[in-house]
Amino acid sequence: MEMEIKIAIEYLSKSIEAIETLKSEEDEGAMEYQKWQECTESMVRNIFGESSAEYKELHELFHPMYFCMPSGDFNERIDYHRQYVNRLENAFSKLSGYKTVLMMRVASSNEDQSFSAIKEVVRICSRFSNVTRSMRKRYSNRKPLIIQDEYDVQYLLKSLLSIYFDDIRPEETTPSCAGSYSRMDFLLKAAQIAIETKMTRENLADKELSKQLIQDIAQYQTHHDVNTLVCFVYDPERYIENPSGVVRDLELQSSDKLTVKVIIVS
């Protein structure tokens, strides 16, 4: 498709909106109608292509095989105007159908993109501990690369995310919740995915970890750029006693507006 889909939807919307005003014109001879028809036909050709079924059926509607101009008879002109209005209503139906098709394509594309992005994020997070273990084994007696705190987790995770994602936005502010703000670790804006990272320690295990993440989840419920929140927890010392329970309780915080996915690795 030559024209970008969202722009095409916008153009179709404007063409559809103009139809109601055009009904007040006398017939196809009106200058405003002529301009609208020419622009609409050209637009559909550019969107779908000259050989498309959409363009062909609209062209046939605008250029019928048999066309008779009315005489000066009053009743005949009324009938002719009625045919003109019917043709506009037919055009309204067809253009609305074309718009629906394009909107479905956008929705399908967004779903595919989001699904694929989530799969990659989950894959990266799930294999995070494999990477950290490999970093500890270095040749020629070089010092091992050790993940010591949450900042190290964020640094390595961002590097791994960059393999699949070009636009990784760190330190984005979340909306206010009960008068307070917090900052998300990463935002994949195109896929509408936010990632919160945690590294457990002696005083950050099951209870306190769940408390902090529940507060984070509440912040994201109204974030207009996020529909999926991935809570990534790195637990190398296995401080979490019941990881499956933590995952279950946190993922139950999902809502119609926000899907919560929790990944705990050690």
Side-chain angles (χ1 to χ4, degrees), residues 72-85:
D73 182 78
F74 178 73
N75 291 330
E76 190 173 333
R77 294 203 66 85
I78 290 178
D79 185 58
Y80 183 76
H81 178 73
R82 188 180 297 115
Q83 292 178 31
Y84 163 71
V85 171

Side-chain angles (χ1 to χ4, degrees), residues 168-229:
I168 305 169
R169 306 188 184 193
E171 296 291 315
E172 290 275 344
T173 304
T174 62
S176 172
C177 180
S180 64
Y181 293 83
S182 66
R183 302 188 74 84
M184 70 178 75
D185 293 328
F186 301 111
L187 171 65
L188 308 178
K189 191 168 183 178
Q192 295 189 297
I193 298 173
I195 304 172
E196 280 291 336
T197 61
K198 300 288 183 183
M199 181 173 174
T200 58
R201 50 187 184 272
E202 195 170 351
N203 62 347
L204 185 63
D206 300 60
K207 186 176 180 180
E208 182 60 26
L209 176 71
S210 296
K211 178 182 176 182
Q212 288 188 17
L213 286 174
I214 286 173
Q215 291 174 347
D216 290 335
I217 291 166
Q219 299 275 2
Y220 286 101
Q221 294 288 353
T222 56
H223 198 297
H224 64 278
D225 284 330
V226 176
N227 60 28
T228 301
L229 171 62

